[in-house]
């Protein structure tokens, strides 16, 4: 029986072929191991207050994951052990 490729492997292979894998790894590394990242859509525009000139723009769709990913920061170990560890000594 031939080995079956799982969909996540196919997706990673597609990302690797596009050359976006290094950027995706940088984006994921910023999550610090969060298992339930929050996916944000939209854009951010930084505008100079005096001149009105656009200084920078960030569009979530242009990011490697297609979203801006941020840590969930959940305090419950059952939801996200990595983020819960951050708050371990708060209680």
């Amino acid at each position: 029986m031939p080995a079956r490729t799982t969909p996540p492997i196919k997706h990673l292979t597609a990302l690797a072929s596009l050359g976006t894998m290094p950027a995706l790894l940088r984006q994921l590394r910023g999550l610090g191991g969060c298992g339930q990242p929050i996916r944000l859509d939209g854009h951010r525009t930084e505008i100079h207050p005096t001149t009105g000139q656009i200084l920078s723009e960030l569009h979530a769709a242009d990011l490697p994951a297609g979203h801006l990913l941020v840590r969930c920061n959940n305090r419950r170990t059952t939801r996200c052990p990595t983020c819960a560890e951050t708050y371990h000594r708060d209680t």
Side-chain angles (χ1 to χ4, degrees):
M1 181 180 282
R4 291 177 39 188
T5 304
T6 60
I9 298 298
K10 286 182 183 179
H11 186 65
L12 289 174
T13 303
L15 286 172
S17 70
L18 294 173
T20 58
M21 189 62 83
L24 180 61
L25 289 175
R26 276 192 305 278
Q27 188 177 7
L28 295 176
R29 206 174 292 126
L31 295 174
C34 176
Q36 302 290 326
I38 298 169
R39 295 177 171 144
L40 301 174
D41 285 328
H43 64 88
R44 183 183 83 184
T45 305
E46 185 179 355
I47 300 173
H48 190 278
T50 307
T51 65
Q53 178 184 6
I54 295 175
L55 301 175
S56 66
E57 288 186 281
L58 173 70
H59 296 272
D62 295 337
L63 295 171
H67 303 279
L68 175 61
L69 301 175
V70 295
R71 293 176 59 114
C72 69
N73 289 323
N74 199 309
R75 294 173 180 257
R76 294 184 177 159
T77 305
T78 56
R79 299 289 290 177
C80 182
T82 306
C83 287
E85 183 63 30
T86 303
Y87 302 105
H88 179 70
R89 290 188 169 82
D90 282 359
T91 56

